[in-house]
Amino acid sequence: MSFFMKSRKRKNNFFSKSKSSAGASDSKSKVSKKKLAIQKALSEEIESSDSDAEGDLDTTENKDKLYSSEEEDEETAQQKKLRLAKDYIAQLEAEEAEKREEEETLKAAVADRLQQDVSEQQGNVIKNIADDCLCPTEQDLRIFKGHKLPVTCIVISPDDKHVFTASKDCNICKWNIETGTKVKTLKGGRKGTEDVHVGHTNQILCLAISSDGKFLAAGDKEKMIKLWNPEDFSFIHKFKGHRGPVTGVAFRKRTHTLYSCSEDKTVKVWNVDELAYQESLFGHNTPITAIDSLTRERAITSGGRDSSVHIWKILEDSQLIFNGHGCSVECVALISESHFVTGGDDNTVSLWSVLKKKPAHIVRDAHNLNHSDDMWVSAVASLQYTDIVASGSRDGFVRLWKCAPGFQSMSPLFSVPVKGFVNSLAFSSRGDYLVAGVGQEHRLGRWWRNKEAKNGWVLIPIKRKPPTLNGFS
């Protein structure tokens, strides 16, 4: 019986083992089926993800992309400060490099300008253009009438577009060079109406315009200097202080410092920006006839009957005195800071150097071959920093002169017919033309009268020879 029980147990064990193995195989098959189903689902899911849009975040690929972008975001955040700092430094370097280039360019331009100013002040920059100038014909001249009495003074605007004329009729006129028309007239009033009339009430003897064209100064026989706006002739200010007729005014170049001279034998300095008087200079023994100035803080005056020319050094509070005329010095004009030209009532034109007390050269009988004593040289002008000067009298001609190299002598260049008393001369800044204020009488008196002359001004074009190329014009 025991044997039977053992064998039964074996049998039961066998069946139990077979059943467990069968269950295991069934479970394995179920697992494999599940794996197959999962793999199939995954494959289908991957295939569908390939066909879907790239923005589907449920696919494995998009999950990988999401994870990678998060990693990149983490890297950018970590390196952001460094990257921004590098960008900022690069931007600063570019800006500073650009500024440095601009500063170097500006410094170079300023250095060139300063060098030019120094050279001009020393008289080293002189353009020799006289040999290239051609004499204009009488048909080339343009004659303008517009004043009832003789024109006493004339100036040109810094842009060479307008001419300002003043007269014994107390009027100031503004002219357009291109059209030849009168743009505006500042009418004067009768003597004794100074309190009610804004314009000049006595003969205007001198004019000056600032280098920037903002101020026009006019001196009259009423001992006053009036400042006007050249654009519309609006009144700015009135300077009082001279005790005699104001015979000359001049602006220092590139500044608003105004110099004036008078028959009271004094030179006065005015600050136009502050509309204030600065100082008076004494030294002439007779009424002063004319004044001029360039870039230095200096003024030059002709002393009339004391036969002298004075250069006033404002800063040093000193003066240089030049004697050489044996007559009244009627007019003076600076060629450069080192040279100037004068005209006398003995019919002479003199060329000077500031280094010598006597003229370097004197042209006698400059405006009359008959040796007449009454042929005054009443006006001189220079095309500044060149070798050309001009002079005028009442002989019927404006004469141009060529200065030799080194300004040791002068020779005639050509003459232009102009009837009447030439009371004022002025060159345009580019040297394209010369203007002459003329009248029937001398600007400071009525010693003579030319009834055939017209009261007005003349525009004299200065033509140049055509440039040559390889010897051919």
Side-chain angles (χ1 to χ4, degrees):
M1 186 162 176
S2 61
F3 173 77
F4 177 79
M5 290 299 291
K6 289 182 181 178
S7 62
R8 191 172 180 182
K9 285 182 180 179
R10 285 192 197 127
K11 186 177 179 180
N12 292 337
N13 290 339
F14 172 79
F15 282 110
S16 62
K17 287 182 180 180
S18 63
K19 286 180 180 180
S20 62
S21 63
S25 63
D26 290 339
S27 63
K28 287 181 180 179
S29 62
K30 288 180 181 180
V31 171
S32 62
K33 285 180 180 180
K34 286 182 180 181
K35 286 184 178 181
L36 290 173
I38 292 172
Q39 290 177 358
K40 185 177 180 181
L42 288 174
S43 64
E44 289 177 355
E45 191 174 338
I46 291 172
E47 289 177 359
S48 64
S49 66
D50 291 338
S51 61
D52 290 342
E54 295 179 356
D56 191 358
L57 298 178
D58 293 335
T59 63
T60 305
E61 184 179 356
N62 287 335
K63 289 179 180 179
D64 293 340
K65 289 183 178 179
L66 180 61
Y67 297 151
S68 64
S69 64
E70 289 177 356
E71 291 177 357
E72 289 176 0
D73 289 342
E74 289 179 1
E75 291 178 357
T76 304
Q78 292 172 0
Q79 298 178 356
K80 187 174 182 179
K81 290 185 179 180
L82 180 60
R83 178 175 56 81
L84 291 177
K86 288 181 179 180
D87 292 343
Y88 183 64
I89 291 173
Q91 182 181 358
L92 289 180
E93 289 178 349
E95 290 178 357
E96 290 301 320
E98 185 177 355
K99 287 182 180 179
R100 193 172 301 161
E101 290 179 0
E102 292 178 355
E103 288 178 359
E104 290 177 356
T105 303
L106 180 61
K107 288 180 180 179
V110 171
D112 291 341
R113 182 64 178 270
L114 290 174
Q115 183 62 40
Q116 181 181 357
D117 290 347
V118 170
S119 299
E120 286 181 356
Q121 291 177 2
Q122 294 177 351
N124 296 331
V125 179
I126 300 295
K127 297 179 181 179
N128 298 317
I129 63 173
D131 292 333
D132 296 329
C133 296
L134 299 174
C135 179
T137 64
E138 193 169 354
Q139 290 73 24
D140 295 329
L141 306 182
R142 297 168 62 187
I143 302 174
F144 301 89
K145 304 173 185 178
H147 290 278
K148 295 180 180 179
L149 295 178
V151 173
T152 56
C153 45
I154 189 167
V155 292
I156 304 173
S157 63
D159 58 5
D160 292 344
K161 293 182 178 179
H162 296 93
V163 167
F164 297 87
T165 58
S167 167
K168 289 184 178 182
D169 60 11
C170 307
N171 295 340
I172 301 176
C173 295
K174 181 180 180 179
W175 306 78
N176 185 298
I177 289 291
E178 185 176 355
T179 62
T181 58
K182 188 189 297 184
V183 178
K184 196 173 182 61
T185 299
L186 176 62
K187 294 185 178 181
R190 293 182 179 179
K191 189 175 181 180
T193 61
E194 297 86 0
D195 297 333
V196 296
H197 196 279
V198 68
H200 292 267
T201 57
N202 209 328
Q203 298 177 10
I204 303 172
L205 302 179
C206 51
L207 283 175
I209 191 167
S210 59
S211 299
D212 56 6
K214 291 184 178 181
F215 298 102
L216 179 71
D220 61 24
K221 222 168 181 180
E222 203 61 35
K223 312 172 187 178
M224 286 187 297
I225 302 169
K226 290 188 176 183
L227 281 178
W228 308 94
N229 184 340
E231 191 66 28
D232 56 3
F233 278 159
S234 57
F235 177 73
I236 298 176
H237 190 69
K238 181 192 299 183
F239 288 125
K240 295 182 179 180
H242 281 293
R243 298 182 179 181
V246 181
T247 55
V249 285
F251 278 97
R252 182 186 171 198
K253 200 172 181 180
R254 303 188 188 118
T255 72
H256 291 158
T257 299
L258 179 67
Y259 304 116
S260 63
C261 64
S262 169
E263 289 186 4
D264 64 5
K265 310 173 189 178
T266 67
V267 173
K268 294 188 183 296
V269 185
W270 313 87
N271 188 323
V272 174
D273 287 327
E274 298 180 2
L275 302 177
Y277 160 81
Q278 284 190 334
E279 61 178 313
S280 296
L281 308 174
F282 302 88
H284 283 288
N285 299 320
T286 57
I288 305 172
T289 55
I291 193 168
D292 198 10
S293 179
L294 281 178
T295 55
R296 287 186 182 180
E297 198 165 352
R298 294 182 178 184
I300 186 169
T301 54
S302 53
R305 291 292 170 186
D306 68 6
S307 304
S308 68
V309 176
H310 290 215
I311 292 181
W312 306 86
K313 296 182 178 182
I314 310 299
L315 287 178
E316 293 88 344
D317 194 20
S318 62
Q319 55 185 296
L320 302 175
I321 302 176
F322 302 84
N323 293 294
H325 282 280
C327 61
S328 174
V329 187
E330 294 296 310
C331 45
V332 63
L334 284 164
I335 302 172
S336 66
E337 297 287 0
S338 302
H339 301 90
F340 59 94
V341 61
T342 58
D345 69 353
D346 60 350
N347 196 17
T348 60
V349 176
S350 299
L351 181 65
W352 301 75
S353 169
V354 297
L355 301 177
K356 296 181 179 180
K357 298 297 183 180
K358 300 294 182 181
H361 184 76
I362 299 176
V363 179
R364 304 189 185 279
D365 297 321
H367 281 266
N368 184 23
L369 299 179
N370 298 324
H371 307 286
S372 176
D373 294 333
D374 59 3
M375 203 62 62
W376 296 6
V377 177
S378 51
V380 291
S382 72
L383 182 52
Q384 293 172 352
Y385 303 106
T386 71
D387 58 346
I388 297 179
V389 298
S391 62
S393 182
R394 67 183 188 95
D395 64 334
F397 292 94
V398 169
R399 302 186 186 273
L400 278 81
W401 309 87
K402 173 189 174 182
C403 300
F407 292 91
Q408 297 300 315
S409 64
M410 285 195 309
S411 59
L413 191 58
F414 53 78
S415 300
V416 181
V418 175
K419 291 183 180 180
F421 286 81
V422 179
N423 290 320
S424 182
L425 291 168
F427 281 95
S428 64
S429 60
R430 294 187 295 268
D432 298 331
Y433 57 87
L434 170 69
V435 292
V438 297
Q440 295 179 344
E441 302 169 353
H442 190 279
R443 74 181 185 103
L444 296 178
R446 303 186 64 183
W447 301 283
W448 302 279
R449 184 175 176 84
N450 186 347
K451 296 182 179 180
E452 297 179 357
K454 304 296 182 182
N455 297 318
W457 63 284
V458 181
L459 189 145
I460 304 169
I462 300 177
K463 297 181 178 180
R464 306 286 179 88
K465 294 178 182 178
T468 58
L469 182 62
N470 297 327
F472 296 97
S473 61

